[in-house]
Amino acid sequence: ILRCLGWSMYHQGEQHRGIILLERSLFLAPNDPLILNDLGVLYPNNKNFERAEQPFKKTLQIEPSNDKAKECPNAVKRHNASMKQIIECIPNFSEGQNPKTIAEIADAIKQTSGVQLLHITSDPDHNRTVMTFIGEPKPVITAAFAAIETASKLIDLNQHQGVHPRIGATDVCPLVPLKNISIEECNE
């Protein structure tokens, strides 16, 4: 259960907590090759290259014929050498009723090269829309500013009604580190 929870947290942007849960599951099952392989893959994604090889070596001591453990250290090194930094942005806009406004905000994101809009959720009762997009840091920041600027031009808070509290046309715009970037780097 800890292993699954660790993977889940890691992939939801809680990389440090995910690794801690996997390390705890390894403490309970120190010879589990699945947990060892998981840690070997996740350590370098969290910029912990020094610790990445150790789990694979231990897996090979337990299961000398484990082909994944034989290949993974090299694959991880190759993968991370070419891996770009990827972040996720999840802005919340104070509009959930006007499809034209929502579409124009989404278009501001889509028009930014290097960004992929993954999801849009609108709630008319709350009069709020949440958009999720990913990419390398510079394009994501560019898309976020374009979307925020579009929202500020199109959303009139004097006419806004909805059950969700709001502080602006864009209430929040969190950045979540996904690959090869830390939360501290996102905060910069």
Side-chain angles (χ1 to χ4, degrees):
I1 293 175
L2 282 176
R3 177 179 176 252
C4 293
L5 185 58
W7 262 110
S8 176
M9 291 189 80
Y10 187 89
H11 289 290
Q12 291 176 10
E14 297 279 341
Q15 289 91 347
H16 183 69
R17 288 184 182 173
I19 287 175
I20 287 173
L21 287 173
L22 283 166
E23 288 172 340
R24 287 183 182 165
S25 64
L26 184 63
F27 178 77
L28 297 172
N31 294 322
D32 186 324
L34 293 175
I35 299 168
L36 289 163
N37 281 334
D38 290 348
L39 285 168
V41 170
L42 296 183
Y43 281 145
N45 286 347
N46 206 38
K47 294 190 176 180
N48 199 338
F49 298 99
E50 300 80 34
R51 295 184 73 185
E53 287 187 47
Q54 183 183 2
F56 292 123
K57 287 179 181 177
K58 187 167 182 182
T59 298
L60 289 171
Q61 289 173 351
I62 298 164
E63 293 181 352
S65 62
N66 187 317
D67 290 333
K68 184 177 180 182
K70 288 178 187 175
E71 175 54 29
C72 274
N74 296 326
V76 166
K77 285 178 187 174
R78 285 191 307 271
H79 172 73
N80 284 300
S82 66
M83 179 55 85
K84 299 174 182 176
Q85 291 180 319
I86 304 292
I87 62 173
E88 176 182 52
C89 185
I90 315 161
N92 292 230
F93 302 103
S94 296
E95 177 57 71
Q97 299 171 353
N98 185 332
K100 184 177 183 270
T101 300
I102 295 166
E104 286 188 45
I105 296 168
D107 285 344
I109 296 167
K110 291 178 192 175
Q111 291 173 4
T112 305
S113 179
V115 171
Q116 184 178 2
L117 181 62
L118 300 176
H119 189 70
I120 302 172
T121 303
S122 297
D123 183 328
D125 294 329
H126 289 91
N127 202 2
R128 189 173 188 84
T129 296
V130 178
M131 298 187 184
T132 304
F133 55 98
I134 63 169
E136 292 185 64
K138 278 191 176 190
V140 166
I141 299 300
T142 300
F145 276 107
I148 291 167
E149 181 179 37
T150 302
S152 69
K153 289 177 182 176
L154 299 176
I155 299 171
D156 182 357
L157 290 177
N158 294 317
Q159 303 299 318
H160 189 279
Q161 293 182 352
V163 297
H164 195 284
R166 59 210 171 269
I167 58 171
T170 305
D171 282 336
V172 295
C173 188
L175 299 173
V176 179
L178 295 181
K179 293 281 185 186
N180 286 339
I181 190 165
S182 67
I183 190 70
E184 293 79 18
E185 290 171 298
C186 283
N187 289 336
E188 292 175 6

